[in-house]
Amino acid sequence: MIALGIESTAHTFGVGIVSKKNVLVNLRDSYTTEKGGIIPTEAAEHHKKIAMDLVREAIEIFEKESKGKKIDLVVYSRGPGIGPCLHVGKNTAREVGKNLGVPVIGINHCVAHLSVGSLVTPVKDPVLLYASGANTQIIAYEGKKYRVFGETLDQGIGNFIDSFARHMGLGFPGGPKIEVLAKKGRKYIELPYSVKGMDISLSGMLTNLKNKFDSKEFSEKDLAYSLQETAFAMLVEVAERAMAHCGKKELLIGGGVGCNSRLQEMCAIMCKERGAKFYAPPKGLLVDNGAMIAYQGILEHCAGRKESKVEVRPYERTDDILVDWK
Ligand code: AMP
Ligand code: MG
């Protein structure tokens, strides 16, 4: 069984081809800016421009490397995400499915971030720290559903970091630039720390950071360093609380902010201290990507899911999905 997956929920357009056991191809092309944030229609335009070329390139690589094998299924992210971007992915999937003469199914993007962990790591039953641009959730499997035990009450951790980076004039995406700056920071500046049970809130810290930056009393490096130390400590605290609550002994990270080496280090320390295991997929599978979409499609298809209405669901939540493939 081989599937081609298409990702287009936000700034990244991705095409991946995977089998049940391996990632065969994983290409991606992202919309970026020098100064401002994501403009939905511009991101969708970017995706439309490159979509079919990226699909062609992925199929060429696949055909060269796995002679004679065929693609059996086309999968796309139906949501959650930015409406205009989702439509490009859905329309591309429909066209590719027609060209290849194979079924097309839409799947939930957040669930795909979770599932891909078991394709590339030995993880079995983890708590997932899903830290991406728009989404920040603590998720675990219980009774046929991925339950959201905690989440951000205002904005996603990636959007929060990107907003501050934009305020500093760093452009989008800001996460990797903040990480570089933070490594040079030495002095910890106290920032508002907001954890409520298993939920977090970031907007107070964002305002505080912007004010501190505007006051010119603090160095950019120290602000970036303190942002990471404070916000990531909040994420690790809620992840640990969820692990204790669910009695789970594994933590899996997902989402683009999961690429951050300091966040990974903090997760690893917490897990070591409580005798648990920490797993991080490689970066190409942490950020939004087509391979995880393809893999989720294989899981659902093998559990009996047939071709359904080709549609988008911009607001679909992780805990709306019946997990019948495990
Ligand atoms: P995703 O929505 O999962 O593709 O993740 C995109 C988000 O990840 C953006 O907000 C990026 O700024 C953020 N990101 C990517 N790399 C890093 C990094 N090394 N450190 C922090 N954030 C990052
Ligand atoms: Mg994502």
Side-chain angles (χ1 to χ4, degrees):
M1 171 105 217
I2 291 172
L4 180 147
I6 294 173
E7 160 59 29
S8 75
T9 55
H11 65 293
T12 297
F13 191 88
V15 182
I17 302 179
V18 312
S19 68
K20 267 185 182 172
K21 294 231 166 89
N22 290 305
V23 176
L24 308 171
V25 186
N26 196 19
L27 304 181
R28 154 176 95 243
D29 191 322
S30 297
Y31 162 84
T32 58
T33 72
E34 287 294 319
K35 271 202 169 135
I38 302 187
I39 299 165
T41 49
E42 276 188 12
E45 271 312 310
H46 161 270
H47 296 352
K48 222 186 272 175
K49 231 183 252 162
I50 56 120
M52 283 316 278
D53 285 342
L54 207 65
V55 169
R56 248 173 255 127
E57 194 183 336
I59 292 178
E60 266 171 32
I61 297 171
F62 164 71
E63 285 177 342
K64 226 181 261 163
E65 287 176 10
S66 37
K67 290 183 185 78
K69 291 209 180 111
K70 290 252 166 314
I71 292 165
D72 307 292
L73 179 72
V74 171
V75 193
Y76 69 96
S77 270
R78 69 179 174 217
I82 301 170
C85 297
L86 290 172
H87 281 286
V88 180
K90 173 207 69 176
N91 293 339
T92 309
R94 186 154 45 200
E95 192 175 336
V96 177
K98 210 154 89 201
N99 293 347
L100 297 173
V102 300
V104 177
I105 61 174
I107 56 98
N108 179 281
H109 171 96
C110 304
V111 166
H113 270 293
L114 253 159
S115 295
V116 79
S118 52
L119 175 63
V120 288
T121 75
V123 76
K124 286 205 176 66
D125 183 23
V127 162
L128 175 82
L129 171 56
Y130 176 32
S132 76
N135 302 292
T136 300
Q137 296 180 323
I138 308 291
I139 306 168
Y141 178 76
E142 228 177 67
K144 292 270 168 212
K145 290 250 166 122
Y146 283 123
R147 315 245 171 219
V148 177
F149 285 89
E151 64 190 312
T152 175
L153 298 172
D154 37 43
Q155 52 193 309
I157 180 83
N159 286 358
F160 154 78
I161 297 175
D162 293 337
S163 294
F164 183 56
R166 192 157 70 237
H167 189 80
M168 292 169 91
L170 294 179
F172 172 82
K177 293 169 187 161
I178 292 285
E179 177 170 17
V180 171
L181 268 179
K183 283 202 176 114
K184 299 180 199 146
R186 290 290 170 267
K187 198 172 134 234
Y188 180 74
I189 302 158
E190 197 160 330
L191 296 169
Y193 185 98
S194 181
V195 167
K196 295 163 187 169
M198 279 186 250
D199 295 326
I200 65 165
S201 152
L202 292 161
S203 55
M205 197 195 317
L206 179 60
T207 307
N208 191 289
L209 276 164
K210 286 179 176 170
N211 289 341
K212 285 201 162 79
F213 175 81
D214 292 343
S215 78
K216 300 196 169 69
E217 283 171 36
F218 305 91
S219 88
E220 293 186 8
K221 296 169 201 163
D222 289 341
L223 286 173
Y225 166 71
S226 307
L227 174 159
Q228 285 200 174
E229 293 303 305
T230 314
F232 295 167
M234 286 161 54
L235 294 181
V236 173
E237 180 185 335
V238 289
E240 182 170 24
R241 192 160 297 136
M243 289 170 82
H245 176 81
C246 303
K248 303 218 193 240
K249 290 276 184 198
E250 298 173 323
L251 179 67
L252 174 69
I253 198 161
V257 183
C259 295
N260 188 288
S261 52
R262 178 61 181 147
L263 177 57
Q264 288 200 11
E265 180 185 32
M266 288 165 82
C267 289
I269 293 169
M270 179 271 280
C271 286
K272 194 165 173 223
E273 281 175 358
R274 51 182 298 116
K277 285 234 158 78
F278 172 61
Y279 295 104
K283 285 189 182 181
L285 296 174
L286 278 171
V287 295
D288 288 348
N289 66 90
M292 70 176 186
I293 304 305
Y295 183 62
Q296 182 61 32
I298 290 185
L299 293 177
E300 296 191 23
H301 186 79
C302 291
R305 182 127 171 251
K306 295 279 171 290
E307 191 167 23
S308 49
K309 199 165 147 210
V310 178
E311 59 177 0
V312 300
R313 297 185 190 168
Y315 301 104
E316 185 173 67
R317 282 183 56 91
T318 310
D319 40 15
D320 286 339
I321 310 295
L322 180 70
V323 180
D324 54 4
W325 57 85
K326 268 176 96 86

